[in-house]
Amino acid sequence: MNDTGRALNNLQGTEKELQFYKNLISQLPFSFSYRDAEMGMQLDKGNDECYSIFYKEGIQQTKLSHIDKKLVDLPFTEIENFLEPILDLVPHHIVFIDKKGVVTLCNLQACEDLHKNKEDIVGRHIRDLLQIPDEKINLLETLRSEKAIVNREILDKNYGINNTRIIRDLDGNIQRVIGVFQFLNGIKEAEKAALAGRIAAGIAHEIRNPLTTVRGFLQILQRGDG
């Protein structure tokens, strides 16, 4: 396959993936906003059949054709049941809490990161789960301030990047706060191992150089004695 054929295949794959994400948005039966500060874009979706994407240059409104209007009136617990198998496929730690701070949903990656089963997480207050003061819990900070957290770096033993988002009901009240955490401990340990390897190689090099010189002098002395 030539370069043009590969480029065409890549373009078709990208278009298919984009359509997949559009279909996913169309199936979400609640309103929400998502903002990406780095890209300068914001997506606002209501309970109707449209969502709007705000660019720095303007607004693009897209008609949704796949939404099931029967889902709009579902209690949020049923919406979470709908979302759970989707979120289980996401390789980041995702937790939902209600307005009281109680965990209502978590994905499989969260269970793996916390070394617990879902039954041990859902239904518990996030404070009891994390065992740290409330002021250090980003989900509770968002619940108090009603402001989402964007790409906050966490520098404790669970090193990573944290984001939070808010889901409101039609009256503007908070229904859920969603926390997404990307653990970077594995990357940090890999970097530490690579650094240790480079240091060890440097030390070995510095030791080997004088030893080579000493060995050379010994060989000269041995030839002189002969």
Side-chain angles (χ1 to χ4, degrees), residues 19-212:
Q19 187 59 48
F20 171 81
Y21 292 127
K22 286 184 176 181
N23 291 344
L24 173 60
I25 293 173
S26 75
Q27 293 296 320
L28 299 179
F30 50 84
S31 60
F32 67 93
S33 294
Y34 173 75
R35 178 173 177 268
D36 190 313
E38 292 183 1
M39 296 182 66
M41 298 171 63
Q42 178 172 322
L43 183 149
D44 290 337
K45 179 183 178 300
N47 285 331
D48 55 15
E49 294 186 353
C50 289
Y51 64 85
S52 298
I53 298 179
F54 295 79
Y55 298 89
K56 290 180 180 178
E57 298 80 10
I59 302 174
Q60 172 182 319
Q61 192 172 65
T62 305
K63 192 77 172 178
L64 299 179
S65 59
H66 302 289
I67 191 165
D68 184 351
K69 293 183 179 180
K70 294 180 181 178
L71 293 175
V72 173
D73 298 324
L74 286 177
F76 205 86
T77 51
E78 294 189 40
I79 296 174
E80 287 174 321
N81 291 335
F82 168 81
L83 288 175
E84 186 173 0
I86 300 173
L87 298 181
D88 280 343
L89 300 175
V90 177
H92 298 320
H93 170 135
I94 299 176
V95 173
F96 285 34
I97 63 170
D98 62 16
K99 59 185 178 182
K100 296 181 179 179
V102 175
V103 177
T104 60
L105 181 150
C106 69
N107 68 342
L108 289 177
Q109 186 63 50
C111 297
E112 182 177 331
D113 292 339
L114 296 170
H115 308 293
K116 295 181 181 294
N117 297 320
K118 285 191 178 184
E119 295 76 13
D120 300 323
I121 298 176
V122 175
R124 295 179 60 186
H125 195 281
I126 190 67
R127 176 197 313 117
D128 300 331
L129 184 64
L130 299 181
Q131 296 292 308
I132 58 177
D134 286 11
E135 59 270 17
K136 293 185 177 181
I137 301 175
N138 290 336
L139 283 165
L140 295 182
E141 177 187 327
T142 296
L143 193 60
R144 290 190 301 269
S145 67
E146 299 193 14
K147 294 180 180 179
I149 293 171
V150 179
N151 293 336
R152 175 179 291 177
E153 189 175 18
I154 307 300
L155 298 175
D156 59 16
K157 63 179 181 179
N158 294 320
Y159 174 65
I161 302 296
N162 192 211
N163 286 272
T164 63
R165 295 292 184 270
I166 298 172
I167 295 178
R168 301 177 184 274
D169 60 21
L170 294 176
D171 297 322
N173 301 312
I174 293 178
Q175 278 198 300
R176 296 290 187 271
V177 175
I178 304 172
V180 180
F181 186 78
Q182 180 183 5
F183 273 102
L184 298 177
N185 280 342
I187 297 175
K188 181 174 68 173
E189 293 303 318
E191 290 176 348
K192 287 167 62 177
L195 177 60
R198 290 194 294 271
I199 292 173
I203 293 173
H205 176 74
E206 295 302 324
I207 292 173
R208 187 165 53 247
N209 280 345
L211 287 178
T212 301

